[in-house]
Amino acid sequence: MSTFVDAAIHQGQRKQLVAFLEEKGICDPLVLKALLAVPRHWFMDPGLVSHAYKNKAYPIAAEQTISHPYTVAFQSELIGCQKGDKVLEIGTGSGYQTAVLQALGVQIYTIERQRELFKKTKRLFDQLRLRPKTFLLGDGYLGLPEEAPFDAILVTAGAATLPKALLSQLKIGGRLVIPIGNDPQVMHRFTRTGEKTFDKETFGEFRFVPLLKDKT
Ligand code: SAH
């Protein structure tokens, strides 16, 4: 299908984008390789394809956005995963971050709360033969207790407050990467150091659409 062509021009633009991300401080070679491998334009509306390799967020369905490539790279680096790790993603959106995580070789469980977006992205995953372990329509605020514990949890929407349920679904040593606050959000990483203990780090300001409760 022509929509899924990865033309030389796109590959070239992607190389430039990855060079830019490296200049901006992304240094994990596996993350850079994953961003180089995944055609972002496949996850965007056809009318926006020519913008796919700019470091910008763009509208997708249901008034949501595909994250900036820098944000995707930054969060992918922060979760610090190894091949085979079990990762929960909250806020599938366009599926671009999911595809980057798959390219990193992790086992991905992903949740989206907007039905329209869920259906659209599910169809896209089928067309691309991209197979997350689980892709659910639901409220990621609650995490996915039946599949816990996870090596990492990545939240791709801005949470007003920290959803406590997510902390309890981390393995010891597991990481929760989540933007917290009201426009802008501060990127946080919580590392579970024991049954009831967590380390907290912060990594500057980002802008995300809100993480919302109880709606599908
Ligand atoms: N990584 C995605 C980001 C999409 S924006 C991408 O690059 O395309 C964030 C997504 O989080 C939106 O699709 C929004 O619908 C979803 N979201 C918001 N609150 C949620 C919740 N409680 N549970 C699951 N998904 C949620």
Side-chain angles (χ1 to χ4, degrees):
M1 193 197 262
S2 61
T3 327
F4 300 124
V5 166
D6 187 26
I9 183 157
H10 293 131
Q11 294 173 26
Q13 288 171 344
R14 207 149 65 238
K15 264 190 198 153
Q16 285 180 351
L17 173 67
V18 168
F20 167 82
L21 297 175
E22 214 173 344
E23 263 171 44
K24 282 279 200 186
I26 304 297
C27 55
D28 183 333
L30 297 177
V31 169
L32 292 166
K33 201 173 151 199
L35 271 103
L36 195 59
V38 179
R40 188 177 187 239
H41 63 279
W42 291 353
F43 298 84
M44 289 176 59
D45 282 354
L48 292 170
V49 160
S50 61
H51 299 278
Y53 298 103
K54 295 181 182 162
N55 186 38
K56 286 195 177 158
Y58 289 98
I60 46 176
E63 292 168 25
Q64 303 304 317
T65 55
I66 180 167
S67 302
H68 288 68
Y70 177 75
T71 305
V72 170
F74 193 77
Q75 289 196 293
S76 301
E77 196 165 82
L78 276 190
I79 58 171
C81 279
Q82 314 260 335
K83 214 172 169 177
D85 276 2
K86 202 170 158 185
V87 178
L88 174 63
E89 178 193 34
I90 315 275
T92 322
S94 67
Y96 175 60
Q97 170 80 73
T98 319
V100 168
L101 292 171
Q102 285 232 326
L104 284 168
V106 304
Q107 303 178 58
I108 173 101
Y109 299 73
T110 184
I111 307 178
E112 171 55 50
R113 112 185 211 291
Q114 296 277 0
R115 188 177 299 272
E116 178 192 351
L117 204 43
F118 171 78
K119 281 192 189 160
K120 190 173 176 201
T121 301
K122 192 158 186 42
R123 199 165 52 239
L124 180 66
F125 284 170
D126 286 345
Q127 287 168 330
L128 296 176
R129 296 195 169 73
L130 230 132
R131 309 225 187 281
K133 274 265 182 197
T134 305
F135 179 22
L136 294 175
L137 173 66
D139 181 7
Y141 221 88
L142 308 170
L144 194 56
E146 60 274 30
E147 297 288 355
F150 295 96
D151 293 290
I153 302 178
L154 175 56
V155 181
T156 74
T161 55
L162 171 66
K164 294 273 160 46
L166 299 184
L167 287 178
S168 67
Q169 293 174 29
L170 289 174
K171 290 183 185 172
I172 308 285
R175 289 85 50 206
L176 166 64
V177 170
I178 179 169
I180 302 179
N182 285 314
D183 207 18
Q185 293 86 23
V186 173
M187 190 68 77
H188 284 69
R189 177 168 64 187
F190 297 89
T191 303
R192 188 170 201 169
T193 50
E195 203 46 52
K196 293 200 169 141
T197 51
F198 298 87
D199 270 355
K200 178 175 113 177
E201 299 161 280
T202 56
F203 297 90
E205 291 182 347
F206 288 78
R207 282 211 154 75
F208 284 85
V209 294
L211 180 73
L212 297 172
K213 287 188 193 178
D214 307 331
K215 181 183 172 277
T216 50

